[in-house]
Amino acid sequence: MTRFPPLSSETLAGLRHLLGETGVLTDSVSLGAYGVDETEEVDFRPAAVALPETTEQVAAVLQLAAQTGIPVTPRGGGTGLSGGALPVFGGLSLSLERLNRIRFLDQTNLMIEVEAGLITGDLKRAVEEKGLFYPPDPASHDSCQIGGNIAEDAAGPRSCKYGTTRNWVLGLEAVLPDGTVIRTGGATRKNVAGYNLTQLLVGSEGTLAVVTAALLKLINLPRFRLTLAAPFSTLQGAAQAVSRLFVAGVDPASCELMEARALDLVSSLTAIPEQLVDAAALLLLELDGDDDQALLERAARASEVFDTLEEVEVIVAQEAGDQRRLWEIREKIAIAVREYSVYKEADTVVPRSELANLVEKARQVASDRQLEAVCYGHAGDGNLHVNLLRGDLDEATWKENRDAAEAELFDWVAGVGGSVTGEHGIGWSQRRYLPLVAQPAAMKVMRGLKAAFDPRGILNPGKIFTDR
Ligand code: S2G
Ligand code: ZN
């Protein structure tokens, strides 16, 4: 494992000189807070937290780190689910939270330039006030930051129709590990000049450069939305319906699946409508567009698809309040699971046609090891969050069984052409699974890229690869 020098009092004084007294935190409450994100069961404290306010300050911090060999771990809102923002080798936690301005909104070209620390929900609301739409909608939208979304290529329910964060990034401003500021991409809809550094940095989990600002694409806000809740009497039926919806051209903006156990857990946090409580599985769809009649026709088409599998009493919500109540069911599942049990989440993604088999496999790997599996997630993307619950197991058995169950599940997922993370990233907690989906030759290219950007290995060390 790589070793780094400790943060000396000279380096700390240098940091204070660059960022001012309030720009560097070393008290133990702060170090504790910046040592965790939302990943289960991990905690790594930094030696200090740096809070720059400008790109120049980010560059200066990285220059100092490069000179002294101190590792730097960039951090957004701390809502990550693979430990990407955790300083596993100590050193500096570099939080972008104070770079949170909207630099400009270009309503002629439908673009916005924002700084990395802007809360994603604030970005979404700012453009919606102007009748515009930035579709990516991670579950944590009210606390995650756009820079973190870019680092992880975050997604959410609407990536089903609109793609993940990367589909909306036209250009970036970023700082390389030696402190050099680079700009990639630009304000054009097309751009094939040279290597696509923008898209290389998106999803690179803060291991290649620190993103400080992004130029994002916008579209017009769809005028109408419909929410459909479809209770199935079998989980297999619900899972099979998903691929058929797309073949039939229903084109949902979101298509989420949750199994009975997820509904059962979330019922302690929000009301489940009578017609849905006994479902073995629930599909929740959002349809959007500018023609309300066309939306109703697509809703009818969705019902026809369901009826090819079984008779389903679909709830169609047209009012915003009714829609919200239905979406709350889905949005609160993660919290409900967390409140119920210690758990480990496998962020599986498979071709849609494998969804039914995925749920079967998740149940088997769990029950073989006295665990419970709760499956829910973005079925339209083939992306299910398989939550393995500890229940009553003692610590040692839990760890052993959890790891074995997860490994068997990911082996199977890779075998059917799926992947080991759909939207939460490899980060720290999924590193050992990357080789299941990236062959040795691809891993070698990835390592070469890391070395080209960060020859000294000081930027977010310990992530993505097992041996750095
Ligand atoms: C979702 C969050 C999962 C979690 O879709 O709700 O991506 O474990 C998630 O917090
Ligand atoms: Zn999710």
Side-chain angles (χ1 to χ4, degrees):
M1 279 292 200
T2 324
R3 290 193 183 278
F4 296 96
L7 183 66
S8 68
S9 51
E10 291 80 32
T11 308
L12 198 55
L15 269 175
R16 293 209 159 102
H17 178 70
L18 294 173
L19 305 177
E21 284 300 316
T22 57
V24 185
L25 309 175
T26 51
D27 63 287
S28 75
V29 173
S30 301
L31 299 184
Y34 287 81
V36 293
D37 62 4
E38 294 195 359
T39 312
E40 319 85 63
E41 304 181 279
V42 271
D43 187 342
F44 294 99
R45 279 162 189 244
V49 181
L51 299 166
E53 287 179 19
T54 62
T55 301
E56 293 67 36
Q57 286 186 340
V58 174
V61 170
L62 282 164
Q63 250 166 35
L64 183 64
Q67 282 157 13
T68 53
I70 299 299
V72 175
T73 302
R75 180 179 176 98
T79 58
L81 291 157
S82 54
L86 302 185
V88 297
F89 291 105
L92 286 185
S93 170
L94 175 61
S95 173
L96 280 297
E97 68 201 81
R98 292 186 179 172
L99 275 90
N100 60 359
R101 287 160 284 248
I102 293 178
R103 290 187 176 166
F104 62 80
L105 170 60
D106 178 349
Q107 287 183 258
T108 307
N109 290 303
L110 301 184
M111 290 172 192
I112 188 168
E113 186 165 296
V114 300
E115 293 181 346
L118 183 66
I119 301 283
T120 306
D122 291 343
L123 160 66
K124 290 171 73 70
R125 281 183 286 273
V127 304
E128 282 174 24
E129 272 171 24
K130 311 278 183 197
L132 298 173
F133 190 31
Y134 172 74
D137 57 346
S140 54
H141 51 80
D142 277 326
S143 47
C144 64
Q145 297 169 11
I146 190 69
N149 291 178
I150 290 168
E152 298 297 320
D153 190 12
R158 290 197 180 124
S159 59
C160 177
K161 176 168 175 178
Y162 295 104
T164 62
T165 300
R166 76 166 64 254
N167 296 70
W168 301 88
V169 183
L170 291 170
L172 294 172
E173 176 191 272
V175 184
L176 299 175
D178 67 359
T180 311
V181 179
I182 58 163
R183 292 198 74 108
T184 70
T188 54
R189 294 275 157 163
K190 291 168 121 179
N191 187 340
V192 293
Y195 293 151
N196 195 336
L197 296 180
T198 307
Q199 294 300 335
L200 175 59
L201 293 184
V202 179
S204 65
E205 307 198 53
T207 62
L208 302 181
V210 179
V211 170
T212 48
L215 183 63
L216 305 169
K217 194 159 71 175
L218 303 172
I219 53 174
N220 286 308
L221 193 61
R223 291 173 58 208
F224 300 105
R225 295 188 195 288
L226 277 186
T227 299
L228 272 55
F232 280 77
S233 65
T234 68
L235 189 100
Q236 293 296 326
Q240 280 166 14
V242 176
S243 49
R244 296 193 192 187
L245 284 170
F246 292 88
V247 175
V250 173
D251 188 27
S254 311
C255 174
E256 299 285 308
L257 179 144
M258 55 233 85
E259 63 167 307
R261 187 69 175 121
L263 286 176
D264 177 34
L265 290 174
V266 81
S267 66
S268 62
L269 299 178
T270 191
I272 314 274
E274 191 63 42
Q275 306 96 298
L276 307 181
V277 272
D278 294 326
L282 175 65
L283 283 185
L284 198 58
L285 267 58
E286 181 177 81
L287 306 183
D288 67 359
D290 288 339
D291 176 344
D292 54 347
Q293 277 314 309
L295 283 195
L296 289 168
E297 278 161 30
R298 275 157 58 205
R301 210 184 298 174
S303 285
E304 283 164 25
V305 169
F306 300 150
D307 289 342
T308 61
L309 289 151
E310 61 170 274
E311 213 171 291
V312 179
E313 289 289 328
V314 182
I315 300 179
V316 180
Q318 290 181 266
E319 300 304 321
D322 296 336
Q323 296 181 359
R324 273 261 34 89
R325 277 186 283 282
L326 288 172
W327 279 100
E328 247 186 43
I329 300 173
R330 164 65 185 85
E331 283 164 11
K332 291 197 166 154
I333 294 176
I335 308 168
V337 171
R338 235 162 243 242
E339 282 182 3
Y340 176 73
S341 168
V342 169
Y343 73 108
K344 174 80 168 65
E345 178 175 305
D347 180 29
T348 59
V349 58
V350 293
R352 286 182 202 125
S353 55
E354 293 290 341
L355 276 169
N357 295 332
L358 171 60
V359 178
E360 282 299 313
K361 184 69 192 174
R363 288 180 169 178
Q364 173 251 304
V365 301
S367 68
D368 282 358
R369 297 172 179 87
Q370 302 152 269
L371 303 170
E372 193 182 354
V374 179
C375 299
Y376 69 93
H378 318 294
D381 284 332
N383 180 198
L384 288 190
H385 303 314
V386 177
N387 286 207
L388 299 167
L389 273 44
R390 171 171 162 175
D392 299 332
L393 291 184
D394 65 77
E395 182 78 8
T397 317
W398 155 241
K399 288 197 165 146
E400 191 184 319
N401 292 11
R402 166 198 76 187
D403 291 351
E406 194 178 52
E408 187 183 335
L409 181 62
F410 278 138
D411 253 334
W412 179 89
V413 162
V416 299
S419 193
V420 298
T421 171
E423 57 173 20
H424 296 163
I426 293 290
W428 166 256
S429 56
Q430 305 302 111
R431 292 166 308 150
R432 81 194 90 132
Y433 300 119
L434 180 58
L436 288 177
V437 288
Q439 315 97 313
M443 291 294 293
K444 194 170 162 206
V445 174
M446 288 193 223
R447 284 200 172 86
L449 287 167
K450 171 68 179 167
F453 275 82
D454 184 17
R456 297 189 63 186
I458 59 162
L459 191 60
N460 210 356
K463 309 297 165 62
I464 299 184
F465 308 103
T466 43
D467 55 351
R468 294 182 80 107

